[in-house]
Amino acid sequence: MTDLVCGIDLGGTKLLGLAIDPTADEPVLAHKVPTPSGTDAVVDAMVALGQQLIDEAVDAGHRVVGLGLGAPGLVDRSGTLRYGPNVPGLIDVRFADVLGDRLGVPVVVDNDATCAAWAEHERGAAKGANHSVTVTLGTGIGAGITVKGEILRGANGFAGELGHMVVDPHGPKCPCGRRGCWERFASGSGLGRLAREAVAADPGAPSRMVELAGGDPEGVRGEHVTVAAADGDEQALEVIGQFAWWVALGVANVVNILDSEVVVIGGGLAEAGDLLLDPIRAAYDELVMGGAHRELVPIVQAELGERAGAWGAALLAHARA
Ligand SMILES: [Zn+2]
């Protein structure tokens, strides 16, 4: 019999659940279900997923000693999601209490990107670094910070909302209600917007990105840019260059504040690898304060992929079990 911990990552489109042996390199169980809409339905789906993991673990002769949840938004130290602008309707949800009562195991809740950062710190690309930043480039930008080998949570648990660092006060509106947040420029949706602007600036010209979007210039999204860029398309490579500058601007701001040892870039876009990371590194060198006079900060690809959030949540639950 092994003591397992479960982790669930609450995403905008899917719930990913794992059961892990904290000492092992691969999860024991993994399940994915779509995220329903409405707070009650989300809670019910999480309870069902957690119960399935617990039942299967017990059937296999193990014991589940805790469950961690990664939730998108401001999660306070009591495990309540106070505010999650990117998942409409989720406000003041007492996830830790509700899930703990219904599942009968201790539940810890943290910000989803904080969980992913912890997993990269413990098992992935930031392993061995005391001072790390992990940035997850998805529909928005999530981030987690470690300082002296510990997660930086701040006074209330809200630290690390790098995606909502304002980089242009006159920029596009953000779901958080303000303008010009970093994630409006440097996320997957920001990449799509930059690409549509590039297409609109040169109307009628043949465009591989538009072709990949089924011929609709308004339908161009981030993934069309990375695919076209990987084929060597010049227009797409130019968009990637602009996008990399925005990513690097935020990374440089963060390194100026935290003096991190390593910056890990995760999320779907990071799968583009050096195609994206090389221009980020080049722009970062120009943008960070005193670049020629300070230690090189490696900007590296995340290693744990889409499982990072759930894995980190489980590791945090284990640490507190
Ligand atoms: Zn914002």
Side-chain angles (χ1 to χ4, degrees), residues 163-164 174-178 181 183:
H164 297 281
C174 181
C176 77
R178 303 176 310 152
C181 290
E183 69 168 41

Coordinates of all heavy atoms in Angstrom, one line a residue, residues 163-164 174-178 181 183, ligand 1:
G163 N 0.6 38.3 -15.0 CA -0.2 38.5 -16.2 C -1.0 39.8 -16.2 O -1.3 40.4 -17.2
H164 N -1.2 40.3 -15.0 CA -2.0 41.5 -14.9 C -1.1 42.7 -14.5 O -1.6 43.7 -14.0 CB -3.2 41.3 -13.9 CG -4.1 40.3 -14.4 ND1 -5.0 40.6 -15.4 CD2 -4.2 39.0 -14.2 CE1 -5.7 39.5 -15.7 NE2 -5.2 38.5 -15.0
C174 N -8.7 44.4 -20.6 CA -8.4 43.0 -20.0 C -9.7 42.6 -19.3 O -10.4 43.4 -18.7 CB -7.2 43.1 -19.0 SG -6.8 41.6 -18.3
P175 N -9.9 41.2 -19.2 CA -11.1 40.8 -18.4 C -11.0 41.2 -16.9 O -12.1 41.3 -16.2 CB -10.9 39.2 -18.4 CG -10.1 39.0 -19.7 CD -9.2 40.2 -19.8
C176 N -9.9 41.7 -16.4 CA -9.8 42.1 -15.0 C -10.3 43.6 -14.9 O -10.4 44.1 -13.8 CB -8.4 42.1 -14.5 SG -7.3 43.4 -15.1
G177 N -10.7 44.2 -16.0 CA -11.3 45.5 -16.0 C -10.4 46.7 -16.3 O -10.8 47.8 -16.4
R178 N -9.1 46.4 -16.4 CA -8.1 47.4 -16.6 C -7.6 47.4 -18.1 O -8.1 46.6 -18.9 CB -7.0 47.3 -15.6 CG -7.5 47.3 -14.2 CD -6.4 47.1 -13.2 NE -5.6 46.0 -13.5 CZ -4.3 45.9 -13.2 NH1 -3.7 46.8 -12.5 NH2 -3.7 44.8 -13.5
C181 N -2.9 45.0 -19.7 CA -2.2 44.0 -18.9 C -1.2 43.2 -19.8 O -1.5 43.0 -21.0 CB -3.2 43.1 -18.2 SG -4.1 43.9 -16.9
E183 N -0.8 40.2 -20.1 CA -1.4 39.0 -20.8 C -2.2 39.4 -22.0 O -2.5 38.6 -22.9 CB -2.2 38.1 -19.9 CG -3.5 38.8 -19.4 CD -4.4 37.7 -18.7 OE1 -3.8 36.9 -17.9 OE2 -5.6 37.7 -18.9
Ligands
ZN1 ZN -5.7 42.3 -16.4

